[in-house]
Amino acid sequence: MTTQLAHTRPAQTMSPQDREDLAEAIGKIAAIAAKSLHESFPHLSLEGLVETFTRPSAVNMLGARHLSSLDRGLSAGEAAAEAGTALIRAWADARLAARAQLDREKAAAPASA
């Protein structure tokens, strides 16, 4: 992203260029987060990570976090790093919660005869 977003709320009041810059930033953040996780854990599908990180809920979270960080005076790069870190943490927490749920269900299932 070449310019600092001149962001305001709601998003409808952002200029077309600001919306484009935000969308580009979100795409880059999602791609870098997916690539980083894939490099650290090659068994994770890069395509699957990209798909997960570009779902509406993830995009909304990234946009909100990125804009909030810019509002707090962080640089565009710092805001992107904070948003990406939050995305990876949320993804890891969700995976851990899903695994714990699966473990609880296995423990509660009657033993096979």
Side-chain angles (χ1 to χ4, degrees):
M1 182 166 47
T2 59
T3 62
Q4 183 81 3
L5 293 173
H7 51 279
T8 57
R9 303 289 189 297
Q12 293 83 357
T13 63
M14 293 174 71
S15 73
Q17 184 61 53
D18 286 342
R19 287 192 298 270
E20 187 176 318
D21 289 347
L22 179 60
E24 182 179 336
I26 289 169
K28 286 180 180 180
I29 295 165
I32 290 169
K35 185 176 179 185
S36 176
L37 278 172
H38 178 69
E39 288 174 355
S40 296
F41 305 100
H43 65 283
L44 297 174
S45 162
L46 181 58
E47 294 79 17
L49 290 167
V50 169
E51 180 182 331
T52 298
F53 292 169
T54 56
R55 288 184 178 145
S57 59
V59 168
N60 290 339
M61 186 279 288
L62 283 172
R65 179 63 68 111
H66 187 69
L67 289 174
S68 172
S69 297
L70 291 173
D71 284 343
R72 292 192 339 264
L74 296 182
S75 71
E78 292 169 327
E82 189 171 279
T85 299
L87 177 66
I88 291 172
R89 284 188 178 137
W91 173 85
D93 288 347
R95 285 192 50 122
L96 289 172
R99 183 67 209 182
Q101 178 64 31
L102 181 62
D103 290 346
R104 284 191 299 274
E105 290 171 4
K106 284 183 179 179
S112 302

